[in-house]
């Protein structure tokens, strides 16, 4: 299974999103996305559990998620 990852437009939004999710009881971590042709370079929020609910919380609070990725990575 891939690593659920929410790509956002900047490191600032990634940190705001992480803090918002943490305040709502989610485990969330900011990580840099490796540059690819598909994603460019940027930052994202790794949410190990409850990714769909976390996505909803972010969008309801004005943090736009550019893309959801399921990457291979550490657990």
């Amino acid at each position: 299974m891939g690593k659920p990852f929410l790509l956002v437009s900047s490191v600032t939004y990634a940190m705001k999103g992480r803090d918002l999710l943490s305040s709502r009881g989610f485990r969330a971590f900011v990580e840099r996305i490796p540059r690819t042709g598909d994603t460019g370079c940027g930052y994202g929020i790794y949410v190990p559990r409850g990714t769909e609910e976390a996505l909803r919380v972010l969008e309801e609070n004005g943090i736009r998620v550019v893309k959801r990725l399921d990457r291979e990575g550490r657990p």
Side-chain angles (χ1 to χ4, degrees), residues 19-31:
D19 295 345
L20 172 65
L21 292 173
S22 292
S23 75
R24 301 282 176 95
F26 291 89
R27 289 182 62 218
F29 308 92
V30 172
E31 293 188 14

Side-chain angles (χ1 to χ4, degrees), residues 53-66:
E53 179 69 13
L55 178 61
R56 186 185 62 76
V57 169
L58 292 172
E59 290 178 346
E60 286 177 354
N61 287 278
I63 298 174
R64 187 173 72 88
V65 174
V66 175

Side-chain angles (χ1 to χ4, degrees), residues 4-6 26 47-56 68 70:
F5 207 80
L6 305 174
F26 291 89
V47 183
R49 290 190 173 87
T51 307
E52 292 301 321
E53 179 69 13
L55 178 61
R56 186 185 62 76
R68 179 188 168 156
D70 289 311

Side-chain angles (χ1 to χ4, degrees), residues 8-41:
V8 293
S9 59
S10 71
V11 68
T12 301
Y13 280 115
M15 291 187 300
K16 286 180 180 181
R18 176 203 56 204
D19 295 345
L20 172 65
L21 292 173
S22 292
S23 75
R24 301 282 176 95
F26 291 89
R27 289 182 62 218
F29 308 92
V30 172
E31 293 188 14
R32 184 150 172 84
I33 302 280
R35 178 182 286 268
T36 68
D38 190 36
T39 62
C41 65

